Amino acid sequence: MKVLFASDIHGDLCAVTKVRDALAREGAERLYLLGDLLYHGPRNHLPEGYDPKGVIALLSDLKDSITAVRGNCDAEVDQMVLPFPIMADYHVLPLKSGVAYLTHGHLFGGEGPNPLGAHDILIEGHTHIAGVHQTAGGNVCLNPGSASMPKGGTPACYMIYDTDSGVFTIRRLDDGSDFAEYIAQ
């Protein structure tokens, strides 16, 4: 089975349309959204395709396949217009060995909601920088970057996890080409 991770859509209908298209192209059965879904945030410029109502409609059509966590730009008023839960601070995804803690990244300082075990990984957004790095505690941290406002010289990306192979692949949103990869233990 494949699952897709996306973060930091920030109300950009063009970006979430590309995420939806990637979901279909990849044959992913589940969509994990890592926060900042509708609002662009006070420090960011409006995304080119800013259309929160359009994003609501598109995500509503996918509601049965979505698991989401709250980002720093998500609020209770956003939950009122979305038909799936978005206010959890984190979600735990079992892996073959260990678990993946999914969070937006603004609450736990890049370390996850609990002390991570030896084979646990952290998956977060927030920085808008796609990539793989180590936490201060030595665990792997995967970041699919931002679908709408990438930063740090990285392109707009999403991430695929193949549950059969244990491979996480960060891919460019524009053409689906590989950007980075991590093989879970």
Side-chain angles (χ1 to χ4, degrees), residues 115-132:
L116 300 175
H119 296 288
D120 296 343
I121 63 172
L122 178 63
I123 300 175
E124 64 181 11
H126 186 55
T127 64
H128 296 224
I129 300 172
V132 180

Side-chain angles (χ1 to χ4, degrees), residues 60-185:
S60 294
D61 288 344
L62 299 173
K63 69 182 179 200
D64 293 335
S65 65
I66 293 175
T67 299
V69 296
R70 179 178 65 90
N72 58 302
C73 292
D74 297 323
E76 290 178 17
V77 69
D78 300 327
Q79 182 61 84
M80 294 168 68
V81 296
L82 290 167
F84 54 89
I86 68 165
M87 297 305 287
D89 290 333
Y90 67 94
H91 177 78
V92 177
L93 176 66
L95 303 174
K96 289 181 179 181
S97 177
V99 298
Y101 284 95
L102 284 54
T103 188
H104 182 63
H106 67 295
L107 293 177
F108 304 107
E111 290 299 316
N114 296 307
L116 300 175
H119 296 288
D120 296 343
I121 63 172
L122 178 63
I123 300 175
E124 64 181 11
H126 186 55
T127 64
H128 296 224
I129 300 172
V132 180
H133 67 275
Q134 273 194 323
T135 66
N139 293 88
V140 170
C141 180
L142 305 173
N143 190 321
S146 173
S148 67
M149 293 185 272
K151 296 180 181 177
T154 62
C157 289
Y158 64 94
M159 184 170 66
I160 288 289
Y161 173 53
D162 185 322
T163 61
D164 296 327
S165 67
V167 176
F168 288 88
T169 307
I170 299 172
R171 295 198 168 128
R172 298 173 195 278
L173 190 56
D174 59 357
D175 65 7
S177 63
D178 291 357
F179 181 76
E181 183 176 273
Y182 173 73
I183 301 172
Q185 300 287 334

Side-chain angles (χ1 to χ4, degrees), residues 10-11 36-40 50 52 55-56 59 74 78 81-82:
H10 289 287
D36 287 359
L37 304 180
L38 302 179
Y39 181 54
H40 66 286
Y50 190 64
V55 171
I56 292 165
L59 292 178
D74 297 323
D78 300 327
V81 296
L82 290 167

